[in-house]
């Protein structure tokens, strides 16, 4: 049972590296990669072919997911994508219509929540308002009929762990949102569960507290090595905290991968658009590494889309390069008209209209430093380059 | 550690015995069974009885035919309608002005008026009727013009007028409660918008105020109609020869022992009530959908003319309610009305009059106490299972439906149904010719059955109070407990009950006060060895011992008020204790 050993979680090879980005969940997952992962380590949580229907409405379909010991997985998606339903099914708070859940080698599909091994933090925290922080955390321990002294010690440790040492006698209403959140976390960890479930744990907090707490939670999780599944709709949160991100859309898994691979290699326009900001240009494939957008012919990474097929090409605003005077010949250079500038604090976002591509608008991010050198306030047009290796090509769905 | 072997997947422990789920299921089953036995089953023999002749033989629609062709009985139905409609118009009309004054004006003394306007809730309707006798009866203070000091005014109390005034006192606080709630729900931003758009005050009143409270207004109309239509106490005391359905049932059952006709008239009493109840449920659902959490409460602006006019009106209403109440107390303390006005407690010595005296008072106290204790426990547990339970959705929906039905059952109908259901030693199952011994027959004539009748009679309001309180508690408490393997009943006891304590006490008070003052549900049920205080008022009044009836009324009112004051005092301590977790 290596998954319960915190020290082991980082000593073995990071399983997320083995797990290849999956473009379509309905396709067979990379069999070789899976086998490689299995030979290294058994997944702690296996979600196999989970479906959930409410009457005629399909809330979840074809959900396959392995979560490895000590891993931090984020379920990310817009509201209504089924991520919370999936979390509740893992917890047993909701019954799935098809498929099975295996946790720690045991099929728990039909066990009630009280017979499963998990701790949970809800968006509302669900702290018992009539009990002090201490008694909230001790709630599950007391039910186990542990000796008083042992409970006392354990609660003290947990309070220290979440940085609330000495605040045990306060009632939830006397604490700030961030403190309440930590109490909820300590309570979820009190019984040393094999699995920690977090349901939008940060979204009720102020922006600043949220950023601070997300680092703390991620650190704590790595320190304890507890396998964690978190639901969030905030892509920045998922990118910052997760070992792997599961992007969900309309009840299916759109993509699974490390934050880096999902951000850099989105598998679909949905993922590209949902995570970060993305420019899309309509075009048509000219050759296996060439796409025409209006009068503009762009070099792209080679792909398998047939010639003549309508496509969207995608590039992130920060990946577009501004050409300075030095005329090093480069592919994909175009003239762009500046339609507007938006000050973002750390830099500027320019709204552009690229000449020759049927005037489809694009945005471009540049740093303040760069902007000053360019006298951006009075800028009317500039030359930009779309580096071919940064471009992604998505076939247009027939619509 | 590098040689981790594959864990074989253990097969699911299919259908492992889950104690918690079984406790939940059993409780839900018991809750539904309780309501089926308490509400549904008793209605069958009662409705069935209306199709039988006095010997218990099948008579088809003969009773209905007889009813509809007896002019005096048809007249009672029309009388009941007339009383109910008139009372409803007065109660809701004046109640609206009163509620408007409390919520939408800057009138002085709002707390005073809010509290005292609801005084009648603690006075049995028939006690008010006794007070009216001493004011407007033949020897009344008003009729005789304070015994010749002033010109007397005779309003012909006994009959339509007396019943309407008595029912008005009964319905008025109910209308005020519903209308204050409706008026409080309005969003102030609507008024700001109307003002900005330049709408006149009158136009704003019709387009904003009336539109936004229309559901509350309709609800008040339905509730007042049902109360006035089905009440028994007031027409019994001041009805004179003016018959209404409720007194007819009483006369048929107690006077003529004609249970079949009693059941037939009960059906005529039941149908309009059920109809109004149905309308009210539809309206309530609409109103709930209107409430938005983001509403901004309205802060009324001072308007001296309106404020003082309202003050005058509210003072008049409170003065009237108080005069009636004061007269009851005065009459109970006067030696021999209207000849000897020296004060004495001799009317409180019930030994020389019928009705059961202090024994009856003591029985009523016990009954009210048991009703409060058991009723609160049952209602709140039921509300919890319906609101927070997991699984068995159909059973929870059924329990919810059955929990709201008692509101539609007039007390007299419920009481009569219980007589038929529990008194019969043998149950005949219709259309089968089968018969079984009644396993609940032993309950008949016991305190337990009186308590059960009271709990069911006042079930719905308490149930809705409970579910409203439970809805405000975080829905994830049960999930969090389950994640810590703490069974739901422990969390119920440690978290849910403490958090709902104000609502639980409110339910207890409601049960206690109503069990103290009610007569309709228990007048057919109480056995001779268990006389009750409220029933004693009826019997004393029947025997002409009106002063003793006034004394008994005073005792009941003071008890109810005492319990209410004790409750406020108790919850004050509670509020301070829970200050730490209720306020930041």
């Amino acid at each position: 049972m290596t998954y319960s050993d915190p020290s082991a979680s980082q000593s073995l090879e990071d399983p997320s590296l083995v797990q290849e980005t999956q473009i379509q969940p309905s396709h067979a997952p990379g069999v070789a990669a899976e086998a490689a992962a299995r030979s290294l380590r058994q997944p702690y949580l296996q979600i196999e072919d989970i479906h959930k229907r409410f009457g005629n409405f399909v809330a979840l379909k074809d959900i396959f997911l392995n979560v490895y010991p000590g891993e931090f997985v984020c379920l990310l998606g817009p509201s209504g994508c089924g991520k919370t339903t999936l979390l509740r099914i893992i917890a047993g708070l909701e019954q799935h219509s098809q498929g099975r859940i295996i946790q720690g080698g045991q099929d728990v599909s039909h066990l009630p929540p009280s017979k499963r091994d998990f701790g949970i933090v809800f968006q509302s925290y669900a702290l018992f308002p009539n009990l002090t922080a201490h008694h909230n955390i001790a709630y599950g321990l007391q039910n186990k009929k542990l000796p008083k002294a042992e409970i006392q010690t354990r609660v003290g440790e947990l309070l220290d762990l979440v940085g609330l040492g000495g605040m045990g006698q306060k009632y939830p209403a006397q604490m700030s949102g961030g403190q309440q959140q930590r109490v909820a976390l300590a309570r979820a960890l009190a019984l040393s569960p094999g699995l920690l479930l977090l349901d939008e744990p940060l979204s009720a907090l102020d922006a600043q507290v949220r950023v601070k707490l997300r680092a703390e939670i991620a650190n704590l999780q790595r320190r304890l090595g507890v396998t964690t599944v978190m639901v969030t709709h905030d892509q920045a949160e998922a990118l910052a905290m997760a070992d792997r991100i599961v992007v969900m859309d309309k009840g299916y898994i759109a993509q699974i991968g490390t934050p880096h691979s999902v951000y850099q290699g989105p598998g679909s326009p949905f993922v590209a658009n949902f995570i970060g900001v993305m420019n899309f240009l309509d075009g048509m494939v000219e050759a296996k590494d060439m796409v025409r957008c209006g009068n503009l012919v762009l070099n792209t990474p080679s792909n398998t889309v047939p010639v003549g097929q309508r496509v969207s090409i995608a590039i992130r605003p920060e990946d577009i390069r501004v050409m300075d005077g030095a005329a090093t010949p480069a592919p994909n250079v175009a003239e762009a008209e500046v339609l507007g500038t938006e000050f973002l604090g750390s830099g500027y976002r320019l709204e552009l209209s690229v000449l020759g591509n049927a005037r489809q608008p694009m945005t471009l991010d540049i740093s303040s430093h760069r902007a000053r050198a360019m006298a951006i306030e009075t800028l009317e047009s500039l030359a930009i380059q779309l580096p071919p290796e940064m471009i992604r090509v998505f076939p247009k769905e027939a619509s | 550690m590098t040689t981790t072997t594959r864990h074989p997947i253990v097969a699911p422990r299919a259908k492992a015995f889950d104690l918690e789920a079984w406790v939940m299921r059993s409780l839900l089953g018991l809750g539904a069974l309780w309501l089926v036995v308490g509400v549904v089953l008793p209605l069958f023999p009662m409705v069935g009885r209306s199709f039988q002749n006095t010997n218990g033989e099948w008579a088809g629609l003969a009773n209905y035919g007889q009813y509809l062709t007896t002019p005096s009985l048809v007249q009672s139905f029309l009388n009941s309608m007339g009383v109910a409609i008139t009372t409803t118009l007065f109660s809701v009309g004046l109640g609206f002005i009163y509620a408007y004054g409390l919520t939408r004006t800057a009138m002085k003394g709002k707390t005073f008026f809010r509290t005292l306007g609801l005084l009648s809730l603690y006075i049995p309707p028939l006690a008010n009727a006794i007070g009216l006798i001493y004011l407007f009866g033949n020897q009344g203070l008003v009729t005789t013009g304070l015994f010749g000091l002033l010109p007397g005014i005779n309003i012909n109390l006994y009959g339509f007028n007396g019943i309407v005034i008595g029912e008005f006192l009964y319905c008025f606080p109910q209308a005020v409660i519903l209308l204050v709630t409706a008026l409080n729900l309005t969003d102030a931003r609507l008024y700001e918008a109307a003002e900005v758009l330049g709408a006149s005050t009158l136009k704003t009143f019709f387009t904003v105020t009336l539109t936004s409270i229309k559901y509350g207004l309709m609800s008040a109309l339905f509730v007042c109609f049902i109360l006035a239509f089905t009440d028994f106490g007031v027409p019994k005391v001041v009805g004179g020869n003016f018959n209404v359905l409720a007194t007819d049932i009483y006369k048929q059952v107690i006077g003529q022992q004609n249970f079949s006709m009693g059941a037939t008239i009960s059906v005529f009493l039941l149908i309009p009530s059920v109809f109004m109840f149905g309308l009210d449920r539809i309206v309530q659902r609409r109103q709930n959908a209107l409430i938005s959490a983001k509403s901004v409460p309205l802060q009324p602006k001072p308007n001296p003319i309106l404020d003082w006019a309202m003050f005058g009106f509210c003072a008049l209403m409170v003065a009237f309610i108080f005069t009636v109440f004061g007269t009851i107390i005065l009459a109970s303390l006067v030696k021999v009305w209207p000849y000897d006005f020296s004060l004495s407690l001799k009317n409180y010595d019930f030994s020389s009059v019928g009705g059961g005296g202090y024994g009856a008072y003591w029985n009523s106290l016990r009954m009210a106490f048991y009703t409060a204790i058991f009723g609160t426990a049952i209602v709140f547990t039921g509300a919890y299972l319906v609101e927070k339970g997991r699984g068995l959705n159909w059973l929870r929906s059924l329990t919810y439906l059955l929990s709201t039905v008692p509101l539609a059952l007039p007390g007299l109908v419920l009481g009569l149904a219980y007589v038929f259901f529990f008194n019969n030693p043998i149950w005949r199952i219709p259309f089968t010719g089968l018969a079984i011994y009644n396993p609940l027959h032993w309950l008949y004539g016991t305190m337990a059955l009186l308590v059960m009748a009271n709990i069911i009679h006042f079930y719905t309001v308490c149930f809705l109070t409970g579910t409203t309180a439970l809805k405000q508690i975080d829905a994830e408490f049960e999930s969090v407990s389950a994640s810590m393997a703490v069974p739901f009943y422990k969390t119920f006891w440690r978290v849910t009950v403490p958090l709902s304590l104000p609502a639980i006490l409110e339910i207890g008070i409601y049960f206690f006060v109503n069990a103290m003052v009610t007569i309709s549900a228990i007048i057919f049920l109480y056995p001779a060895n268990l006389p009750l205080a409220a029933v004693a008022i009826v019997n004393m009044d029947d025997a002409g011992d009106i002063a003793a009836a006034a004394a008994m009324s005073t005792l009941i009112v003071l008890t109810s008020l005492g319990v209410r004051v004790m409750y406020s005092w108790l919850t004050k301590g509670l509020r301070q204790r829970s200050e730490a977790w209720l306020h930041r």
Side-chain angles (χ1 to χ4, degrees), chain B residues 177-202:
Chain B
I177 290 176
L178 287 166
L179 291 169
V180 163
T181 311
L183 283 162
N184 270 337
L185 285 178
T186 308
D187 192 342
R189 286 173 299 195
L190 288 176
Y191 287 87
E192 286 163 7
E195 205 178 336
V196 171
L197 291 170
S200 69
T201 316
L202 205 64

mmCIF file of all heavy atoms in Angstrom, chain B residues 177-202:
data_model
loop_
_atom_site.group_PDB
_atom_site.id
_atom_site.type_symbol
_atom_site.label_atom_id
_atom_site.label_comp_id
_atom_site.label_asym_id
_atom_site.label_seq_id
_atom_site.Cartn_x
_atom_site.Cartn_y
_atom_site.Cartn_z
ATOM 1 N N ILE B 177 -50.934 38.590 10.405
ATOM 2 C CA ILE B 177 -49.656 37.866 10.294
ATOM 3 C C ILE B 177 -49.310 37.633 8.821
ATOM 4 O O ILE B 177 -48.201 37.939 8.365
ATOM 5 C CB ILE B 177 -49.731 36.509 11.025
ATOM 6 C CG1 ILE B 177 -49.793 36.733 12.520
ATOM 7 C CG2 ILE B 177 -48.526 35.642 10.674
ATOM 8 C CD1 ILE B 177 -49.961 35.459 13.313
ATOM 9 N N LEU B 178 -50.282 37.109 8.071
ATOM 10 C CA LEU B 178 -50.014 36.791 6.660
ATOM 11 C C LEU B 178 -49.707 38.052 5.858
ATOM 12 O O LEU B 178 -48.818 38.065 5.006
ATOM 13 C CB LEU B 178 -51.221 36.067 6.048
ATOM 14 C CG LEU B 178 -51.401 34.629 6.511
ATOM 15 C CD1 LEU B 178 -52.777 34.104 6.136
ATOM 16 C CD2 LEU B 178 -50.319 33.750 5.896
ATOM 17 N N LEU B 179 -50.443 39.135 6.143
ATOM 18 C CA LEU B 179 -50.255 40.354 5.347
ATOM 19 C C LEU B 179 -48.975 41.078 5.716
ATOM 20 O O LEU B 179 -48.304 41.650 4.857
ATOM 21 C CB LEU B 179 -51.476 41.267 5.511
ATOM 22 C CG LEU B 179 -52.741 40.690 4.855
ATOM 23 C CD1 LEU B 179 -53.977 41.457 5.261
ATOM 24 C CD2 LEU B 179 -52.595 40.692 3.334
ATOM 25 N N VAL B 180 -48.606 41.053 7.005
ATOM 26 C CA VAL B 180 -47.328 41.671 7.394
ATOM 27 C C VAL B 180 -46.185 40.952 6.680
ATOM 28 O O VAL B 180 -45.265 41.580 6.144
ATOM 29 C CB VAL B 180 -47.140 41.624 8.930
ATOM 30 C CG1 VAL B 180 -45.686 41.855 9.306
ATOM 31 C CG2 VAL B 180 -48.019 42.664 9.598
ATOM 32 N N THR B 181 -46.249 39.619 6.652
ATOM 33 C CA THR B 181 -45.216 38.850 5.956
ATOM 34 C C THR B 181 -45.153 39.252 4.490
ATOM 35 O O THR B 181 -44.074 39.511 3.950
ATOM 36 C CB THR B 181 -45.519 37.345 6.055
ATOM 37 O OG1 THR B 181 -45.789 37.036 7.418
ATOM 38 C CG2 THR B 181 -44.366 36.522 5.559
ATOM 39 N N ALA B 182 -46.331 39.328 3.848
ATOM 40 C CA ALA B 182 -46.354 39.669 2.418
ATOM 41 C C ALA B 182 -45.821 41.078 2.187
ATOM 42 O O ALA B 182 -45.023 41.311 1.272
ATOM 43 C CB ALA B 182 -47.769 39.538 1.877
ATOM 44 N N LEU B 183 -46.222 42.021 3.041
ATOM 45 C CA LEU B 183 -45.792 43.411 2.851
ATOM 46 C C LEU B 183 -44.297 43.567 3.117
ATOM 47 O O LEU B 183 -43.636 44.419 2.535
ATOM 48 C CB LEU B 183 -46.588 44.338 3.769
ATOM 49 C CG LEU B 183 -48.021 44.647 3.298
ATOM 50 C CD1 LEU B 183 -48.864 45.186 4.440
ATOM 51 C CD2 LEU B 183 -48.004 45.632 2.145
ATOM 52 N N ASN B 184 -43.769 42.743 4.018
ATOM 53 C CA ASN B 184 -42.343 42.824 4.327
ATOM 54 C C ASN B 184 -41.469 42.293 3.207
ATOM 55 O O ASN B 184 -40.287 42.588 3.141
ATOM 56 C CB ASN B 184 -42.043 42.020 5.595
ATOM 57 C CG ASN B 184 -42.169 42.876 6.824
ATOM 58 O OD1 ASN B 184 -42.065 44.104 6.739
ATOM 59 N ND2 ASN B 184 -42.409 42.271 7.959
ATOM 60 N N LEU B 185 -42.049 41.465 2.348
ATOM 61 C CA LEU B 185 -41.244 40.816 1.321
ATOM 62 C C LEU B 185 -40.903 41.735 0.166
ATOM 63 O O LEU B 185 -40.064 41.421 -0.650
ATOM 64 C CB LEU B 185 -42.000 39.598 0.765
ATOM 65 C CG LEU B 185 -42.032 38.376 1.658
ATOM 66 C CD1 LEU B 185 -42.850 37.282 1.010
ATOM 67 C CD2 LEU B 185 -40.625 37.897 1.921
ATOM 68 N N THR B 186 -41.586 42.876 0.094
ATOM 69 C CA THR B 186 -41.429 43.707 -1.104
ATOM 70 C C THR B 186 -40.035 44.322 -1.206
ATOM 71 O O THR B 186 -39.418 44.649 -0.203
ATOM 72 C CB THR B 186 -42.489 44.811 -1.101
ATOM 73 O OG1 THR B 186 -43.735 44.193 -0.906
ATOM 74 C CG2 THR B 186 -42.488 45.556 -2.394
ATOM 75 N N ASP B 187 -39.603 44.460 -2.421
ATOM 76 C CA ASP B 187 -38.288 45.022 -2.706
ATOM 77 C C ASP B 187 -38.384 46.543 -2.807
ATOM 78 O O ASP B 187 -39.146 47.074 -3.613
ATOM 79 C CB ASP B 187 -37.797 44.438 -4.037
ATOM 80 C CG ASP B 187 -36.327 44.729 -4.261
ATOM 81 O OD1 ASP B 187 -35.802 45.634 -3.589
ATOM 82 O OD2 ASP B 187 -35.721 44.038 -5.089
ATOM 83 N N ALA B 188 -37.611 47.235 -1.996
ATOM 84 C CA ALA B 188 -37.666 48.696 -1.975
ATOM 85 C C ALA B 188 -37.301 49.301 -3.325
ATOM 86 O O ALA B 188 -37.743 50.387 -3.676
ATOM 87 C CB ALA B 188 -36.713 49.228 -0.907
ATOM 88 N N ARG B 189 -36.484 48.582 -4.095
ATOM 89 C CA ARG B 189 -36.023 49.145 -5.363
ATOM 90 C C ARG B 189 -37.170 49.348 -6.345
ATOM 91 O O ARG B 189 -37.122 50.227 -7.197
ATOM 92 C CB ARG B 189 -34.937 48.252 -5.970
ATOM 93 C CG ARG B 189 -33.626 48.391 -5.220
ATOM 94 C CD ARG B 189 -32.623 47.395 -5.694
ATOM 95 N NE ARG B 189 -33.110 46.027 -5.474
ATOM 96 C CZ ARG B 189 -32.336 44.964 -5.524
ATOM 97 N NH1 ARG B 189 -31.084 45.087 -5.784
ATOM 98 N NH2 ARG B 189 -32.842 43.767 -5.327
ATOM 99 N N LEU B 190 -38.230 48.515 -6.187
ATOM 100 C CA LEU B 190 -39.395 48.702 -7.048
ATOM 101 C C LEU B 190 -40.019 50.071 -6.805
ATOM 102 O O LEU B 190 -40.465 50.740 -7.729
ATOM 103 C CB LEU B 190 -40.434 47.610 -6.773
ATOM 104 C CG LEU B 190 -40.094 46.204 -7.252
ATOM 105 C CD1 LEU B 190 -41.171 45.239 -6.814
ATOM 106 C CD2 LEU B 190 -39.966 46.188 -8.765
ATOM 107 N N TYR B 191 -40.048 50.490 -5.521
ATOM 108 C CA TYR B 191 -40.646 51.786 -5.187
ATOM 109 C C TYR B 191 -39.773 52.922 -5.667
ATOM 110 O O TYR B 191 -40.252 53.939 -6.141
ATOM 111 C CB TYR B 191 -40.886 51.879 -3.675
ATOM 112 C CG TYR B 191 -42.033 51.004 -3.256
ATOM 113 C CD1 TYR B 191 -41.810 49.680 -2.939
ATOM 114 C CD2 TYR B 191 -43.329 51.486 -3.250
ATOM 115 C CE1 TYR B 191 -42.859 48.851 -2.601
ATOM 116 C CE2 TYR B 191 -44.389 50.670 -2.908
ATOM 117 C CZ TYR B 191 -44.148 49.347 -2.581
ATOM 118 O OH TYR B 191 -45.192 48.535 -2.264
ATOM 119 N N GLU B 192 -38.457 52.727 -5.551
ATOM 120 C CA GLU B 192 -37.535 53.748 -6.059
ATOM 121 C C GLU B 192 -37.711 53.897 -7.567
ATOM 122 O O GLU B 192 -37.759 55.007 -8.096
ATOM 123 C CB GLU B 192 -36.097 53.368 -5.711
ATOM 124 C CG GLU B 192 -35.795 53.588 -4.244
ATOM 125 C CD GLU B 192 -34.555 52.857 -3.769
ATOM 126 O OE1 GLU B 192 -33.839 52.283 -4.606
ATOM 127 O OE2 GLU B 192 -34.314 52.878 -2.549
ATOM 128 N N ALA B 193 -37.847 52.763 -8.232
ATOM 129 C CA ALA B 193 -38.034 52.808 -9.684
ATOM 130 C C ALA B 193 -39.319 53.546 -10.026
ATOM 131 O O ALA B 193 -39.347 54.403 -10.920
ATOM 132 C CB ALA B 193 -38.077 51.395 -10.256
ATOM 133 N N ALA B 194 -40.422 53.242 -9.287
ATOM 134 C CA ALA B 194 -41.703 53.894 -9.557
ATOM 135 C C ALA B 194 -41.581 55.402 -9.341
ATOM 136 O O ALA B 194 -42.112 56.204 -10.111
ATOM 137 C CB ALA B 194 -42.786 53.306 -8.665
ATOM 138 N N GLU B 195 -40.842 55.772 -8.290
ATOM 139 C CA GLU B 195 -40.689 57.194 -7.985
ATOM 140 C C GLU B 195 -39.899 57.894 -9.084
ATOM 141 O O GLU B 195 -40.267 58.977 -9.539
ATOM 142 C CB GLU B 195 -39.971 57.324 -6.633
ATOM 143 C CG GLU B 195 -40.262 58.632 -5.930
ATOM 144 C CD GLU B 195 -39.567 58.696 -4.582
ATOM 145 O OE1 GLU B 195 -39.266 57.628 -4.007
ATOM 146 O OE2 GLU B 195 -39.311 59.816 -4.131
ATOM 147 N N VAL B 196 -38.812 57.252 -9.489
ATOM 148 C CA VAL B 196 -37.975 57.837 -10.535
ATOM 149 C C VAL B 196 -38.772 58.004 -11.825
ATOM 150 O O VAL B 196 -38.615 58.975 -12.558
ATOM 151 C CB VAL B 196 -36.729 56.946 -10.778
ATOM 152 C CG1 VAL B 196 -35.964 57.421 -11.995
ATOM 153 C CG2 VAL B 196 -35.841 56.976 -9.556
ATOM 154 N N LEU B 197 -39.670 57.042 -12.085
ATOM 155 C CA LEU B 197 -40.467 57.117 -13.305
ATOM 156 C C LEU B 197 -41.622 58.095 -13.177
ATOM 157 O O LEU B 197 -42.396 58.285 -14.115
ATOM 158 C CB LEU B 197 -41.019 55.725 -13.649
ATOM 159 C CG LEU B 197 -39.968 54.707 -14.099
ATOM 160 C CD1 LEU B 197 -40.572 53.327 -14.165
ATOM 161 C CD2 LEU B 197 -39.393 55.096 -15.452
ATOM 162 N N GLY B 198 -41.794 58.679 -11.996
ATOM 163 C CA GLY B 198 -42.794 59.719 -11.821
ATOM 164 C C GLY B 198 -44.204 59.209 -11.598
ATOM 165 O O GLY B 198 -45.176 59.914 -11.876
ATOM 166 N N ALA B 199 -44.358 57.975 -11.064
ATOM 167 C CA ALA B 199 -45.702 57.463 -10.807
ATOM 168 C C ALA B 199 -46.279 58.122 -9.561
ATOM 169 O O ALA B 199 -45.561 58.396 -8.600
ATOM 170 C CB ALA B 199 -45.641 55.942 -10.612
ATOM 171 N N SER B 200 -47.605 58.380 -9.573
ATOM 172 C CA SER B 200 -48.248 58.991 -8.413
ATOM 173 C C SER B 200 -48.336 57.958 -7.289
ATOM 174 O O SER B 200 -48.211 56.755 -7.516
ATOM 175 C CB SER B 200 -49.644 59.477 -8.783
ATOM 176 O OG SER B 200 -50.467 58.361 -9.005
ATOM 177 N N THR B 201 -48.560 58.461 -6.061
ATOM 178 C CA THR B 201 -48.636 57.561 -4.909
ATOM 179 C C THR B 201 -49.735 56.517 -5.117
ATOM 180 O O THR B 201 -49.549 55.331 -4.852
ATOM 181 C CB THR B 201 -48.960 58.375 -3.641
ATOM 182 O OG1 THR B 201 -48.169 59.543 -3.654
ATOM 183 C CG2 THR B 201 -48.682 57.568 -2.400
ATOM 184 N N LEU B 202 -50.878 56.976 -5.620
ATOM 185 C CA LEU B 202 -52.008 56.078 -5.819
ATOM 186 C C LEU B 202 -51.670 55.006 -6.852
ATOM 187 O O LEU B 202 -51.938 53.827 -6.681
ATOM 188 C CB LEU B 202 -53.224 56.885 -6.267
ATOM 189 C CG LEU B 202 -54.568 56.243 -5.934
ATOM 190 C CD1 LEU B 202 -54.735 56.140 -4.427
ATOM 191 C CD2 LEU B 202 -55.695 57.046 -6.559
#
